[in-house]
Amino acid sequence: MLRATLVLRNSNFIKHTAEVTAKAVSRADLDTPAAKPTATAAPEETMMPWNGWFGSFLKDKLGDEKYEKVRELILYRPNDYTGFEQLPRPNTKLPISEKDPTLMHKFRHPSPGSQPPVEMRETDASFGNAGDDPYDVTYYKRDTGRRYTSDPTSLHRDLEKIKLELLPEDDPRVKEALEEFEKGPGSSPGNKGVFATGKSDFDPSGLRATMSTNWEATEASLDANMPDH
């Protein structure tokens, strides 16, 4: 039963191949006609003419009407446009208009290889500052709203400072506590821009990458972004 179901389902799909085979392109051929793809669509000629022979045999013997009844009896949604395949085939066409039946959408059409190259901008003026990095999506360095609530080391630091100032200044323990308070948390010194690939200077602040982030630079960035009203 399962074998017959698979054969009947495959009989309605024609497998295709690319018009041209893939080829390697050297660096010297980039941006030249030799590197441009020549295929813009999949051919309609099947590379496996034997596929679906059983369905064709039944259709020839039973006739169109009886054959369709057998398919509808055995198969679940036999006319589903995807054939229950996870990845649509290149020749799959989907109607996109109820008024015009000729309007179709094809999978990966136009093909990515026939499109203009992607524009990778280094700056984006829409950020308000043309020098801003459009790929920097970090928010913690300007998240002033949760500055004193999300980080336990920053919680009530103003109160801690007042408490220390009320203690005797000549007490060695108070002096040591004040020095530690001024240093701030020492658990996040960052890697000073030294990564596995070597020294990097793409971000002097150290806040662009997680491994280089440090507490001192974070506090300076938050100070700069604090509201003034």
Side-chain angles (χ1 to χ4, degrees), residues 26-37:
S26 64
R27 186 179 298 273
D29 291 335
L30 293 178
D31 299 327
T32 64
K36 294 182 179 180

Side-chain angles (χ1 to χ4, degrees), residues 146-158 185 215 219 222:
R146 288 189 288 262
R147 181 177 187 178
Y148 301 112
T149 58
S150 60
D151 188 357
T153 59
S154 300
L155 189 63
H156 306 309
R157 284 182 58 83
D158 53 344
W215 183 85
E219 288 295 299
L222 291 174

